[in-house]
Structure formats: C-alpha cells, structure tokens
C-alpha cells in the first residue's frame, strides 16, 4: 500500500499560466537545455562541426549564398534516414460579419514520412484531389507512409535542385529572428527553371549559414496542382543543424469584392526525428515489460486482488511505452507535473483513497481528447493548448480521475504482450480506451462531485464557458473534436456529451464580451521539441485582447517561434523570457502565444 503524503501546493488558485512558470520542484532547467539532451541522444554532427571549422568565414554575400546552399544539402543528407511524424491541421474559412474569417470546416492529417524518398516530383502528380495536392497523398490517419509524400516543398526549399543553376539569390537585409542574427535573401527561380520552383525569402543565420526560415510559394503552378503560401520555421535542436519543425500555410482573401475559391489556415508540425525507426510495414515492435516493479511484499505470492492490480499496472505500462515508441506520447516532463498538481488538488480535497498514485501524460497530437489507462491520465497537446485556465483543466481531468476512482479500468487486455505487437500506423486501430455510456454518465456525476469539493468550485464558470464553446463550434470543427483513443466531448451536431451539466451553469457564451475567454487559439501553450519529442510550456507573455476578433477560440493561428541557438538556452535573455509575471486569466483577458510581440 502506498503511503499518502499529498500536500496542497502554493499555487493552488493561480491561473494555469502562472502554474506553468513555477514547477513544484524548480526542475525546469534540464528540459530547457536542448543542447544537453540532443548530445546525449546521439548523432551529433561531426561532419558539420569539422566542416565549419576548416572553412574561413565568408567575406561576400555570394559566399554566404554558397554556404547556405551547402548547408541545405547537408541538412537533406542528415535527415535522409529519418522518418518523422508530420501532422497538419487545416481550417477552411468563411467570412463572418463580426469576427472576420471563421472556420467553416476542418481537416486533420497525421502520418510518418520517409525523408529519404521525398522529391519535388511528388507534389507535381496529376491527382486533382485538393487534399492530395496539398499534402501529396498524405491523407490516411496515422498511416506509415514510406512512399514519396509531397511534403518536400514544405520542409526543404527544393529537394532536388536547390542551387545557383536554378535560382537567383538577392541579398535583402539583416534581421533578428528571435535571438538569432540573420541575413535575408530573396530567392527567385531562373527563367525556364521549370514548374513548382520556390519563390520567396530565406533567412540564413550568420554563424554556420543554415537556413532557419523559408517564406514563400512554389511557382509556376502546374495545371493539376495547387500550391499554397507557407512560412516554414526551423529550430536548432541538434548541433550544427536547424530542423524543420513548424509550417504555417494560409490562402484566401476576404477583402470586399474579392472571391477566393480556397480560403484556409493550416498548421503543420514535424516531430519524432529521433524516434527509433521501426522501418517497414512488416516490422513488428516488441515491448519490453521487465521494467515494471513488483510491488508485492517480498517472498510472497500476490493475493487475488494484488494479482489483478499488477496485471492492470502491467497493461498501463505497456500502453504508455508503446504510445511513446510510436511518437504519440511525450516523454515524462514538466508539463506532466503541472497536470499532476491539478490532479493532486482534486484528490486531496476530496480525500480520495486510491490504490496507486495517478499520473498524467501528454499525447502529442492536436485533436482534443483525454483517456485513461490504469492510473495514467492522457491529455492531448491540442486540448492543453486551448484550455483557458486551471479550473477548466481541472474539469477535464476530473472526468478521467472519476473513472479511476470508480474503478472503471480499461485496457487490461494489453497486459498480454502479444497484444502490443503491431506496427505504428495501426496504433489507432489496435488501441482504444472508450467507456460505455453508463460509465461515462457515472464518471460525469463523480467528476462534478470532485469539482464541487475542490478549490476550483468557485471558478468553474470558465470551464462551463469552455464546454459551451466546444458545443458552439463542434459542427465546424469535427476533425478537431474527433477523438482517436478516448470518448468524445460533443456530437457532430454540437450536443455536449462530456460534463453536460456544466452547460447549464455559469454565464451564457458571448463572443463580444471581451472579459470572456472561453477557449484559446490552437498552438499557444505547448512547445514541442521536434528532435526528442520533449515538451515544455511556452513562455510567451499574455497579450491583451482588444476586439472580439482577437479571441479566435479553437482557431488556427500563425506560428512565430522565438529562434535561439542551442548553446544560448541559458543566456540572461532566455531567463528573462521565463520570468513573465503571472496574470490571472479570469480577470484579465489574454492570449498566450509563441511570440506575442510580433502580432
Ligand atoms: Zn470518460
């Protein structure tokens, strides 16, 4: 039996944002130094470091261009054995008299790409399907795609022909991108360079001359393909290399009298560069189970109840490890601790007695979902991104905690190792943690009771607004609200399924009330390390909301990451950025984003 030593923490009633900046044990630093982790993780780049060492610094802009071209080819070479996950979430837009462009419908794509085989011909295929042209056939949900995927145009400027033969480079100006001094060049394809060439701007950092940002489009457009404007960001996550991590795409013009057929905003994220490569479809992934500790008293056989609990714990461990291997679950880290604190607050104030501690983990995907397996509660990154504050986070967690408290244990079939033998792309078909409607109803009732006894009881209005917002936007955001492993929050028609009693409480949803923040835009809270999948809470300062159009609940917004060199992680500037003053979102309308200063 575990001894209970829970204590209430000091930041019990602070906003989520404030909690984020004050982890319980002050151990944020190990995860904010990607240099250390990347070096530990392996393939540093002797090739790049030594190559850089022998080359004298360029003295002309022409030499800078040559170095940038050379580094781009080195990056392609470095990544060619990698099969990262790529996720794209896209919202089609329609004009709204009050809010400007609002989502009309949405699409979600998740898969793995083989960077060895992408080339510029992928996106020049004859397929007329909109999505296929946008994503090069990348349409199946979490399917390992080892064929060319057509993503090259988003990840590299030109996979095949990036060089002076096909392009002209014109120096524009110097500019800081975050902490990184950059030389900015305009890139245009030469006459007769062929279709689908990059036209736009590149940002080249001034130390090793890697491209850190690409902004532009591909032209001219072939007859049967669409190209879209994109803003592609790279992060220095491995010594000497800047890895493609975030891509924002946008098309459409809603100015008066203008009629665009296609209007959308899309966020693409790349991660899992350093995942073990399970490789081909027929290669099965085995799960080691020997790390589960036997907690039964020494030299004693397990009692029937203990045996049952050990089996559930085994299953929980198997599932967590398997999801991590598939690149769907972040490694344990500080975001888990924030979630654990909120869970703890619910447990302690309700005097819940549980057989084992409950812990939270974060799934790396965008669709809003939660589920629990054994005593592990899993929350998606997208959901954490859009939750407006700590009480709404508590409401979401309370439902899963209720399942655990009521003994609604799912997934114990995964205690059998053979059930863990499947390829990564089959994760969503082989796993599932959905409860019956009866268990859902019971968990909701228990969750309301847990919330009522908790410190969040007085601030539950924002949670009720959050669920009202989900319900209001559900018909347009079905992809975002389609769960893959857990139970749904709402029906496609907008009928609230989860915690439906919250809908009847609190104020009415009113987009024009600026002090009402029901849900945040997507992508503002969690920063994902594309190399090792570690996550941390974003350090952006809150931005005041001035008009209803600033709210953008559950909407796609542009990426604007703060670029920094790996070894600069512990500079005074980086420390200053993390010392933002906590602001209670219940009183001050705010958005937290990747870089508020650039809006
Ligand atoms: Zn449930």
């Amino acid at each position: 039996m575990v001894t209970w030593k829970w204590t209430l923490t000091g930041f019990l009633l602070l906003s989520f944002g404030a909690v984020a900046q004050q982890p319980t044990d002050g151990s944020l630093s190990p995860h904010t130094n990607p240099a250390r982790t990347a070096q530990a993780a392996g393939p540093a780049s002797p090739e790049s470091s030594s190559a850089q060492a022998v080359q004298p610094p360029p003295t002309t802009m022409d030499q800078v261009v040559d170095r940038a071209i050379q580094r781009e080819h080195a990056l392609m070479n470095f990544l060619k054995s990698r099969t990262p996950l790529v996720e794209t979430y896209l919202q089609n837009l329609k004009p709204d008299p009050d809010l400007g462009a609002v989502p009309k419908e949405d699409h979600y794509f998740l898969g793995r790409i083989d960077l060895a085989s992408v080339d510029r011909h992928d996106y020049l295929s004859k397929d007329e399907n909109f999505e296929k042209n946008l994503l090069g056939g990348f349409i199946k949900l979490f399917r390992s795609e080892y064929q060319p995927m057509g993503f090259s145009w988003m990840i590299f400027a030109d996979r095949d022909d990036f060089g002076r033969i096909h392009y002209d480079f014109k120096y524009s100006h110097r500019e800081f991108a975050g902490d990184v001094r950059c030389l900015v060049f305009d890139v245009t394809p030469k006459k007769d360079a062929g279709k689908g060439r990059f036209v736009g701007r590149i940002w080249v950092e001034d130390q090793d001359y890697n491209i850190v940002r690409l902004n532009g489009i591909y032209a001219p457009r072939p007859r049967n393909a669409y190209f879209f404007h994109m803003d592609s960001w790279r992060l220095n996550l491995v010594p000497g290399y800047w890895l493609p991590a975030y891509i924002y795409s946008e098309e459409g013009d809603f100015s008066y009298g203008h009629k665009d057929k296609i209007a959308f905003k899309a966020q693409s994220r790349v991660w899992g560069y350093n995942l073990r490569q399970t490789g081909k479809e027929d290669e099965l992934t085995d799960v080691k189970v020997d790390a589960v500790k036997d907690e039964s008293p020494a030299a004693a056989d397990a009692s029937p109840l203990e045996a049952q609990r050990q089996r559930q714990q085994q299953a929980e461990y198997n599932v967590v490890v398997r999801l991590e291997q598939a690149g769907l679950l972040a490694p344990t880290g500080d975001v888990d601790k924030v979630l654990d604190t909120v869970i703890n607050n619910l447990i302690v104030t309700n005097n819940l007695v549980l057989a084992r501690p409950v812990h939270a983990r974060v799934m790396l995907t965008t669709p809003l979902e939660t589920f629990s397996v054994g005593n592990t509660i899993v929350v998606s990154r997208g959901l954490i991104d859009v939750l407006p504050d700590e009480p709404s986070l508590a409401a979401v967690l309370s439902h899963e905690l209720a399942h655990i408290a009521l003994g609604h244990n799912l997934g114990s079939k995964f205690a059998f190792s053979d059930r863990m033998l499947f390829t990564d792309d089959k994760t969503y078909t082989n796993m599932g943690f959905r409860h019956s409607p009866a268990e859902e109803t019971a968990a909701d009732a228990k969750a309301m009771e847990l919330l009522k006894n908790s410190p969040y009881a007085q601030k539950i209005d924002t949670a009720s607004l959050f669920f009202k917002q989900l319900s209001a936007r559900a018909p347009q955001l079905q992809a975002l609200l389609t769960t893959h492993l857990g139970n749904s929050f709402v029906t496609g028609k907008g009928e609230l399924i989860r915690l439906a009693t919250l809908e009847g409480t609190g104020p009415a949803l009113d987009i024009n009330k600026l002090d009402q923040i029901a849900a945040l835009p997507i992508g503002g809270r969690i920063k994902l390390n594309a190399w090792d999948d570690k996550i941390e809470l974003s350090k952006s300062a809150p931005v005041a909301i001035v008009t209803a159009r600033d709210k953008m609940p559950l909407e796609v917004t542009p990426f604007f990451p703060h670029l920094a060199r790996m070894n600069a992680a512990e500079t005074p500037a980086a420390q200053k950025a993390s010392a933002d003053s906590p602001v209670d979102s219940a009183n001050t309308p705010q958005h937290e984003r990747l870089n508020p200063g650039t809006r």
Side-chain angles (χ1 to χ4, degrees):
M1 183 71 190
V2 177
T3 323
W4 293 95
K5 287 188 211 150
W6 303 121
T7 48
L8 283 170
T9 62
F11 50 77
L12 190 64
L13 286 170
L14 294 182
S15 76
F16 190 15
V19 172
Q21 284 137 18
Q22 300 169 15
T24 37
D25 61 353
S27 65
L28 193 67
S29 51
H31 298 285
T32 52
N33 187 353
R36 207 173 296 155
T37 47
Q39 261 152 7
S45 51
E47 173 269 317
S48 85
S49 318
S50 56
Q52 296 304 325
V54 294
Q55 287 193 31
T59 51
T60 66
M61 284 302 167
D62 267 354
Q63 286 172 8
V64 170
V65 168
D66 288 340
R67 290 284 285 275
I69 292 169
Q70 195 186 327
R71 293 307 302 152
E72 187 70 359
H73 287 282
L75 177 72
M76 291 175 200
N77 191 45
F78 175 62
L79 293 180
K80 73 168 189 260
S81 61
R82 305 273 155 191
T83 56
L85 283 88
V86 180
E87 179 197 61
T88 294
Y89 177 61
L90 182 154
Q91 291 180 339
N92 289 107
L93 306 173
K94 64 176 181 196
D96 177 278
D98 297 325
L99 301 174
V102 295
K104 181 173 71 175
E105 58 178 4
D106 64 346
H107 300 277
Y108 180 68
F109 315 93
L110 176 66
R112 280 179 86 162
I113 53 169
D114 185 348
L115 291 176
S117 57
V118 291
D119 68 70
R120 62 181 294 271
H121 301 292
D122 314 342
Y123 54 83
L124 297 172
S125 75
K126 295 238 159 63
D127 207 308
E128 285 176 84
N129 179 289
F130 168 88
E131 285 155 9
K132 279 198 168 165
N133 277 308
L134 173 62
L135 299 161
F138 183 54
I139 53 170
K140 282 208 177 144
L141 191 66
F142 201 62
R143 187 183 144 68
S144 296
E145 285 286 349
Y146 291 99
Q147 281 90 47
M149 300 269 307
F151 240 96
S152 52
W153 61 280
M154 286 183 147
I155 286 176
F156 305 114
D158 188 323
R159 181 70 174 79
D160 289 349
D161 302 312
F162 190 65
R164 289 188 183 277
I165 296 171
H166 293 85
Y167 290 97
D168 287 320
F169 296 82
K170 188 166 166 278
Y171 171 70
S172 169
H173 62 281
R174 275 172 209 273
E175 185 181 302
F176 269 95
D179 296 340
V180 180
R181 211 167 39 190
C182 291
L183 303 159
V184 184
F185 294 88
D186 289 326
V187 180
T188 45
K190 286 197 191 290
K191 221 179 149 212
D192 305 323
K195 289 188 171 170
R197 296 293 183 189
F198 178 73
V199 186
R201 205 158 249 207
I202 54 171
W203 281 251
V204 177
E205 47 90 15
D206 73 345
Q207 197 169 299
D208 296 329
Y209 305 96
N210 292 292
I211 298 175
V212 300
R213 182 183 176 192
L214 296 146
N215 180 317
I217 196 168
Y218 293 80
R221 186 172 83 84
R223 246 183 68 216
N224 295 321
Y226 294 101
F227 290 128
F228 303 109
H229 287 96
M230 56 109 179
D231 200 355
S232 178
W233 296 85
R234 297 174 176 182
L235 302 178
N236 186 199
L237 303 172
V238 180
Y241 291 100
W242 289 72
L243 306 182
Y246 299 107
I247 300 147
Y248 176 72
S249 321
E250 184 183 287
E251 283 300 322
D253 183 349
F254 285 111
S255 56
Y256 182 72
H258 201 284
K259 268 209 170 120
D260 269 328
K261 278 198 192 125
I262 300 163
F264 74 87
K265 297 185 284 187
Q267 288 184 345
S268 298
R269 290 178 168 79
V270 190
W271 74 85
Y273 282 108
N274 200 33
L275 276 178
R276 193 167 68 85
Q277 287 149 55
T278 47
K280 307 291 173 279
E281 293 269 352
D282 55 357
E283 209 173 285
L284 292 173
T285 307
D286 198 1
V287 173
K288 287 205 183 88
V289 294
D290 52 9
V292 172
K293 254 190 260 161
D294 184 356
E295 287 179 1
S296 58
D301 289 330
S303 72
L305 179 58
E306 278 166 351
Q308 173 71 7
R309 283 186 183 155
Q310 277 178 28
R311 195 178 131 72
Q312 282 163 358
Q313 198 178 347
Q314 178 76 72
E316 174 182 346
Y317 175 83
N318 285 359
V319 167
V320 165
V321 169
R322 189 67 189 82
L323 287 174
E324 216 177 296
Q325 281 175 350
L328 286 173
L329 208 63
T332 50
D334 292 314
V335 180
D336 303 347
K337 285 180 198 155
V338 173
L339 304 182
D340 283 354
T341 304
V342 176
I343 294 170
N344 244 358
N345 292 340
L346 292 166
I347 291 175
V348 170
T349 48
N350 280 279
N351 300 313
L352 278 187
V353 178
L354 302 168
R356 283 190 296 125
V358 176
H359 289 295
R361 297 292 296 268
V362 179
M363 194 148 112
L364 292 167
T365 48
T366 294
L368 314 187
E369 69 177 308
T370 67
F371 63 91
S372 45
V373 52
N375 279 26
T376 298
I377 296 175
V378 179
V379 186
S380 68
R381 174 190 53 75
L383 180 55
I384 298 173
D385 273 345
V386 299
L387 285 168
D389 60 3
E390 189 171 330
S392 52
L393 173 63
V396 163
L397 292 168
S398 69
H399 175 90
E400 296 301 341
L401 182 61
H403 278 308
I404 293 170
L406 293 170
H408 296 170
N409 217 309
L410 281 185
S412 55
K413 69 172 185 180
F414 296 113
F416 288 116
S417 301
D418 65 290
R419 292 227 162 91
M420 306 311 294
L421 298 174
F422 50 82
T423 51
D424 286 354
D425 59 307
K426 302 286 193 317
T427 304
Y428 282 167
T429 40
N430 277 270
M431 286 191 178
F433 307 96
R434 290 183 182 88
H435 291 275
S436 68
E439 285 189 347
E440 283 297 286
T441 308
D444 276 345
K446 181 74 180 172
M448 291 309 295
E449 182 195 315
L450 296 178
L451 286 170
K452 211 172 284 171
N453 295 330
S454 80
Y456 306 109
Q458 287 91 42
K459 302 179 92 185
I460 212 65
D461 278 2
T462 47
S464 103
L465 285 169
F466 176 73
F467 284 96
K468 284 169 193 165
Q469 185 71 73
L470 288 190
S471 147
R473 286 236 157 138
Q476 292 81 42
L477 302 180
Q478 303 219 1
L480 184 66
L481 291 165
T482 296
T483 58
H484 300 285
L485 295 172
N487 286 88
S488 302
F489 283 92
V490 281
T491 65
K493 287 182 182 151
E495 195 188 326
L496 201 58
I497 310 171
R498 183 92 61 96
L499 291 173
T501 49
L502 277 179
E503 214 174 14
T505 67
L509 186 66
D510 183 351
I511 190 87
N512 290 308
K513 280 195 174 158
L514 295 186
D515 60 348
Q516 234 189 45
I517 304 296
L520 302 184
I522 290 158
R525 280 206 197 277
I526 303 275
K527 243 165 66 180
L528 165 57
N529 183 314
W531 177 255
D532 60 18
D533 293 358
K534 284 186 179 159
I535 53 169
E536 58 183 303
L537 283 154
S538 165
K539 285 161 189 143
S540 61
V543 179
I545 280 165
V546 183
T547 73
R549 292 188 183 202
D550 289 344
K551 289 187 175 183
M552 299 181 287
L554 309 172
E555 288 180 26
V556 165
T557 53
F559 290 118
F560 233 101
H562 187 89
L563 301 189
R565 296 186 193 282
M566 282 183 73
N567 52 13
E570 283 169 358
T571 60
Q575 280 159 14
K576 187 175 163 286
S578 66
D580 300 320
S581 62
V583 181
D584 189 342
S585 63
N587 301 321
T588 314
Q590 63 185 45
H591 277 174
E592 294 173 33
R593 17 185 100 256
L594 286 167
N595 187 344
T598 50
R599 279 194 77 227

